[in-house]
């Protein structure tokens, strides 16, 4: 008897929480950690090789931060709204369909769908990039083949946005900086 190795494909829905750490040039802005969310469809492909798989999602992602300019907290909240497409290679082990654990890592491509330019103060602006590239590294557990809980860190490669602030009353001086929006993410997915 000959058996053929085939990949198993499962579709589902994924949602979760972001805890974002936005970092700016310290002489331009400062921001505190804030929470956000993400939600969207996901697919998981179990490869014929023992323990290996791939997952991919299309997630609406919203991240935000409160901003300090010169040590003073403003009333403005910066919001990043994007469609993120993570593609992760995963390696799992465990008790077959009852429960298994897995590690995963992979690239993520994001496309800005929110306001590109946001005003922080009368003389300060924040401009999002149209797209960004980041990397995910994390771990998770699957229960009863349908429910999956994951935790990961999303590391932005390059800049997420540009910031500009003007200071001084008689002479206008301009400071420019770049920011990143790294995030811890906790997700729950259900596969049909």
């Amino acid at each position: 008897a000959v058996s053929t190795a085939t990949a198993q494909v499962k579709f589902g829905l994924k949602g979760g929480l972001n805890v974002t750490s936005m970092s700016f040039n310290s002489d331009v802005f400062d921001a505190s950690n804030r929470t956000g969310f993400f939600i969207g469809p996901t697919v998981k492909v179990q490869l014929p090789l023992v323990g290996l798989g791939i997952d991919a999602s299309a997630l609406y992602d919203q991240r935000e931060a409160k901003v300090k300019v010169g040590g003073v907290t403003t009333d403005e909240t910066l919001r990043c709204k994007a469609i993120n497409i993570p593609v992760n290679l995963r390696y799992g082990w465990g008790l077959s369909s009852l429960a298994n654990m897995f590690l995963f890592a992979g690239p993520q491509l994001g496309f800005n769908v929110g306001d590109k330019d946001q005003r922080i103060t009368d003389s300060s602006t924040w401009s999002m990039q149209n797209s960004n590239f980041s990397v995910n590294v994390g771990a998770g557990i699957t229960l009863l083949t349908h429910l999956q809980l994951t935790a990961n860190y999303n590391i932005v490669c390059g800049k997420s946005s540009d910031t500009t602030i003007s200071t001084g009353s008689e002479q206008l001086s301009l400071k420019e900086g770049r920011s990143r929006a790294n995030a811890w993410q906790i997700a729950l997915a259900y596969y049909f």
Side-chain angles (χ1 to χ4, degrees), residues 90 98-102 139-143 147-151 188-189:
R90 41 193 292 159
L98 270 181
N100 72 36
M101 297 178 63
F102 58 94
I141 186 169
T142 303
L143 300 170
L147 198 58
Q148 177 178 284
L149 179 65
T150 59
L188 184 64

Side-chain angles (χ1 to χ4, degrees), residues 22-25 27-32 64-80 115-128 161-167 175-179:
M22 289 190 182
S23 60
F24 298 88
N25 288 19
D27 61 336
V28 180
F29 293 119
D30 186 23
S32 59
E64 60 182 39
K66 278 300 236 187
V67 177
K68 293 179 185 175
V69 180
V72 177
T73 302
T74 68
D75 292 333
E76 297 299 320
T77 300
L78 299 179
R79 286 187 178 82
C80 308
D115 293 334
K116 181 174 170 33
D117 298 314
Q118 298 181 40
R119 184 164 297 285
I120 298 170
T121 65
D122 289 338
S123 60
S124 306
T125 59
W126 185 63
S127 299
M128 286 289 298
S161 63
D162 292 310
T163 54
T164 306
I165 183 171
S166 339
T167 58
K175 290 184 180 178
E176 294 183 356
R178 297 177 176 168
S179 68

Side-chain angles (χ1 to χ4, degrees), residues 5 16 29 45 47-48 50 94 106 111 116 125 137 141 153 157 164 168 192:
F29 293 119
V45 179
L47 298 175
V50 175
F111 300 96
K116 181 174 170 33
T125 59
V137 177
I141 186 169
Y153 191 60
C157 302
T164 306
F192 306 106

